[in-house]
Amino acid sequence: MKRTAFFISDGTGITAETLGQSLLAQFENISFTKLTRPYIDSVEKARAMVQQINTAAERDGTRPIIFDTIVNQDIREILAESEGFMIDIFSSFLSPLEQELSSHSSYSVGKSHSIGHNSNYMERIEAVNFALDNDDGARTHYYDKADLILVGVSRCGKTPTCLYMAMQYGIRAANYPLTEEDMERLQLPVSLKKYKEKLFGLTIDPERLTAIRNERKPNSRYASYAQCEFEVREVENLFRRENINSINSTHFSVEEISAKILVEKGVERRFK
Amino acid sequence: MKRTAFFISDGTGITAETLGQSLLAQFENISFTKLTRPYIDSVEKARAMVQQINTAAERDGTRPIIFDTIVNQDIREILAESEGFMIDIFSSFLSPLEQELSSHSSYSVGKSHSIGHNSNYMERIEAVNFALDNDDGARTHYYDKADLILVGVSRCGKTPTCLYMAMQYGIRAANYPLTEEDMERLQLPVSLKKYKEKLFGLTIDPERLTAIRNERKPNSRYASYAQCEFEVREVENLFRRENINSINSTHFSVEEISAKILVEKGVERRFK
């Protein structure tokens, strides 16, 4: 049986979606059709939303689950008339918080207030630019400005990890690919030696690496299992020899890898 | 008065942090010191956490707010002995959900279960690669594969937006900078004409653009207010003439811009 879940918001929907996904993940035996519906910020959009919810209820033969973070009372009342089972995120927590903080929330006085990611705009853009400019060993003379330098074989996940850390946390992360040439010398490239305390290793299972490289350069020596296995083994040896902490990216998401690296390196995010 | 808030998790902390930030944003008059503490997954780490919480309580002269998504009962009991005010995210919603779904959650049977971003790993990497390969007009012959093509003046926020959409939603977004040359011809570049239905415009206030360009090329003609104002005006005229929908990025975060674009273009995210 498939059940529909809606993440509904008058803003981006990120809070409703993040919490809703976490909660639904606790029900492993149930399969959900998940739909995010951001910017439901007018009575008209709310009425159209009710129709979508009721259509899903009829199709599924059971009522959809609604996770919502809508502030406007009129819009919430319209949604409440739908066939959905409402999980009302804000009202559940705001009244205990109001009591603890001895303060009224914007919500309870009917005024929306966004998270204001925007105050970090310039810092974030700078961090993304830093990741792009210092991607894949393109430049090595700005490593003094880096918070972190990721090292590992080509296509082990360094670039997405650096970009995620830049975007979410404003971390300036460079990355440097360890290529066969570095391996033959069996030592760290000179440009990295000076910044050993900033280095963090990424490694990956050779099977996964082979699959990823084959998407890029099918049937090449670069993508062959033998080559991938050789490179991963050499790099893991290098990490051990040089005492570089590392994570195997194979079974983790970019979010998980990023969070683990920050904990292990003790780097504080630049956004709060 | 400054008050401390902790976002504590046995995983990445993303859920606790996202919800906690949204809730705290509703209290505009209170200033919070916000600390995310991921991977609190052992009794020892929980005990160290309690000390941090109690230290903050003493320093602030008031108890810190704790948002937690910890599954393990032993760890939660230790945290509950701290001086913090606990907002227990999972237990608040899981029991009504269990009842509605007539099913026990992994949480209530004491088993953690992650969101599993990882099942999207390859699709996500592909989308990030697509954004990087098709950034800044670098290639135009893969636009048939694009879900979206962002257009706008140089440094108006196209690249971070494309990368965010790729990372979070698996959307393949290319971007193309409209340069002075295109403006003089007063028409869309040939490479974009074929894909008009995929185009979306980004625009920006000339003041903000001047500030951003000055970070890159201080005191250049490129970064001058006159040049920025001219380019923005010309591009906004082009958007109007060609009926290209657009957003002014100045007052929105990358999250907000991305969510608005997906709604306006009716593009469904590839991750659910």
Side-chain angles (χ1 to χ4, degrees):
Chain A
M1 190 187 75
K2 198 95 173 172
R3 195 142 177 176
T4 305
F6 287 94
F7 311 124
I8 304 177
S9 170
D10 48 8
T12 61
I14 292 172
T15 301
E17 183 177 64
T18 304
L19 178 60
Q21 293 266 27
S22 290
L23 291 169
L24 295 181
Q26 308 302 319
F27 297 90
E28 295 177 64
N29 302 324
I30 301 175
S31 165
F32 295 96
T33 303
K34 298 170 194 163
L35 299 168
T36 305
R37 294 293 178 255
Y39 297 109
I40 304 302
D41 51 10
S42 71
V43 164
E44 293 68 39
K45 289 184 192 169
R47 293 221 175 92
M49 202 57 250
V50 168
Q51 289 205 321
Q52 278 188 53
I53 295 167
N54 293 349
T55 304
E58 203 165 319
R59 187 188 55 225
D60 298 348
T62 178
R63 54 182 178 172
I65 314 291
I66 317 290
F67 298 91
D68 94 275
T69 56
I70 286 173
V71 170
N72 183 288
Q73 190 61 30
D74 298 339
I75 295 177
R76 292 174 59 237
E77 277 170 14
I78 292 170
L79 285 184
E81 288 165 17
S82 77
E83 300 292 320
F85 175 72
M86 306 272 287
I87 294 277
D88 191 339
I89 298 171
F90 276 179
S91 61
S92 309
F93 292 130
L94 283 173
S95 82
L97 272 175
E98 288 184 343
Q99 208 164 355
E100 173 66 18
L101 297 169
S102 312
S103 176
H104 285 291
S105 65
S106 310
Y107 178 78
S108 73
V109 300
K111 194 171 60 139
S112 176
H113 186 66
S114 80
I115 304 181
H117 290 285
N118 221 32
S119 54
N120 304 316
Y121 190 88
M122 293 293 264
E123 221 168 344
R124 192 174 205 183
I125 296 284
E126 270 307 295
V128 170
N129 284 339
F130 188 89
L132 292 173
D133 291 342
N134 296 279
D135 185 41
D136 209 30
R139 288 196 315 201
T140 59
H141 56 287
Y142 281 95
Y143 285 173
D144 57 321
K145 304 261 188 298
D147 296 317
L148 282 170
I149 305 164
L150 291 195
V151 292
V153 300
S154 164
R155 296 287 148 191
C156 69
K158 299 183 299 301
T159 301
T161 305
C162 288
L163 287 170
Y164 185 84
M165 290 194 289
M167 192 84 76
Q168 294 296 319
Y169 306 130
I171 300 288
R172 286 170 201 205
N175 76 78
Y176 188 98
L178 294 168
T179 61
E180 228 172 324
E181 197 184 304
D182 301 314
M183 291 169 207
E184 276 160 21
R185 283 191 274 110
L186 285 168
Q187 52 178 353
L188 274 182
V190 177
S191 49
L192 296 179
K193 278 205 170 145
K194 262 175 79 179
Y195 299 103
K196 235 186 111 174
E197 77 290 350
K198 296 186 182 188
L199 300 185
F200 196 89
L202 268 194
T203 182
I204 186 170
D205 289 356
E207 291 79 9
R208 166 65 75 85
L209 185 60
T210 306
I212 294 172
R213 287 188 174 182
N214 260 308
E215 292 270 321
R216 279 260 135 170
K217 296 190 182 163
N219 307 315
S220 61
R221 173 169 169 276
Y222 168 80
S224 70
Y225 180 80
Q227 179 66 19
C228 290
E229 196 276 334
F230 164 74
E231 289 187 27
V232 168
R233 181 159 29 90
E234 288 299 308
V235 163
E236 289 182 352
N237 284 337
L238 181 73
F239 291 163
R240 262 188 297 274
R241 233 168 29 237
E242 297 280 351
N243 269 316
I244 297 168
N245 280 0
S246 68
I247 285 176
N248 184 320
S249 69
T250 313
H251 302 293
F252 298 113
S253 65
V254 173
E255 285 87 348
E256 290 166 325
I257 296 165
S258 301
K260 282 172 196 282
I261 292 173
L262 294 193
V263 170
E264 287 221 26
K265 296 299 280 184
V267 173
E268 279 285 342
R269 38 195 90 187
R270 287 175 192 261
F271 305 150
K272 294 289 175 178
Chain B
M1 191 186 75
K2 197 97 172 169
R3 197 141 178 178
T4 305
F6 288 95
F7 310 123
I8 304 178
S9 168
D10 48 7
T12 60
I14 292 171
T15 302
E17 184 176 63
T18 304
L19 179 59
Q21 294 265 26
S22 289
L23 290 169
L24 296 181
Q26 307 302 319
F27 296 92
E28 294 175 66
N29 302 323
I30 301 175
S31 164
F32 296 96
T33 303
K34 298 171 196 164
L35 299 168
T36 304
R37 294 294 177 255
Y39 297 110
I40 305 301
D41 51 11
S42 71
V43 165
E44 294 68 37
K45 290 184 193 169
R47 293 221 176 90
M49 202 59 247
V50 169
Q51 289 206 321
Q52 278 189 53
I53 295 167
N54 293 349
T55 303
E58 204 166 319
R59 189 189 51 226
D60 298 348
T62 179
R63 54 182 178 171
I65 313 291
I66 318 289
F67 297 91
D68 93 275
T69 55
I70 286 172
V71 170
N72 183 287
Q73 190 61 30
D74 297 340
I75 295 176
R76 294 174 58 238
E77 278 170 13
I78 292 170
L79 286 184
E81 288 165 17
S82 78
E83 300 292 321
F85 175 73
M86 306 272 288
I87 294 276
D88 191 340
I89 298 172
F90 275 179
S91 60
S92 308
F93 292 130
L94 283 173
S95 82
L97 272 176
E98 288 184 344
Q99 209 165 354
E100 173 67 17
L101 297 169
S102 312
S103 175
H104 284 292
S105 67
S106 310
Y107 178 79
S108 72
V109 301
K111 196 171 58 135
S112 175
H113 185 66
S114 79
I115 306 180
H117 292 285
N118 221 32
S119 54
N120 304 316
Y121 191 86
M122 292 293 264
E123 221 169 342
R124 192 174 204 183
I125 296 284
E126 271 307 298
V128 170
N129 285 338
F130 189 89
L132 293 172
D133 293 342
N134 297 279
D135 185 39
D136 208 31
R139 289 196 313 201
T140 59
H141 56 288
Y142 282 95
Y143 285 173
D144 56 323
K145 305 259 186 300
D147 295 317
L148 281 171
I149 306 164
L150 290 195
V151 292
V153 301
S154 164
R155 298 286 149 190
C156 69
K158 298 183 300 300
T159 300
T161 305
C162 287
L163 287 170
Y164 184 85
M165 290 195 288
M167 192 84 77
Q168 295 296 320
Y169 306 129
I171 299 290
R172 286 171 202 204
N175 75 78
Y176 188 98
L178 294 170
T179 62
E180 228 172 323
E181 196 184 305
D182 301 315
M183 291 169 208
E184 275 161 19
R185 281 193 274 112
L186 283 170
Q187 54 180 351
L188 273 182
V190 178
S191 49
L192 296 179
K193 278 205 172 144
K194 261 177 78 179
Y195 298 104
K196 234 185 113 175
E197 78 290 350
K198 296 186 182 188
L199 300 185
F200 196 88
L202 269 194
T203 182
I204 186 169
D205 289 355
E207 291 78 10
R208 166 65 77 83
L209 184 61
T210 305
I212 293 172
R213 287 187 174 182
N214 261 308
E215 292 271 319
R216 280 259 133 170
K217 297 190 182 162
N219 307 315
S220 60
R221 174 170 168 275
Y222 167 80
S224 69
Y225 179 80
Q227 179 65 21
C228 292
E229 197 275 334
F230 165 75
E231 289 187 26
V232 168
R233 183 162 25 95
E234 288 298 308
V235 163
E236 290 182 353
N237 284 337
L238 181 73
F239 291 163
R240 261 188 297 274
R241 234 172 22 242
E242 296 281 352
N243 268 318
I244 297 169
N245 281 359
S246 67
I247 285 178
N248 184 322
S249 69
T250 313
H251 303 292
F252 298 114
S253 64
V254 173
E255 287 85 348
E256 290 166 326
I257 296 165
S258 301
K260 283 171 195 282
I261 292 173
L262 294 194
V263 170
E264 286 222 27
K265 297 299 281 183
V267 173
E268 278 287 339
R269 37 194 92 188
R270 288 175 192 259
F271 305 150
K272 294 289 177 183

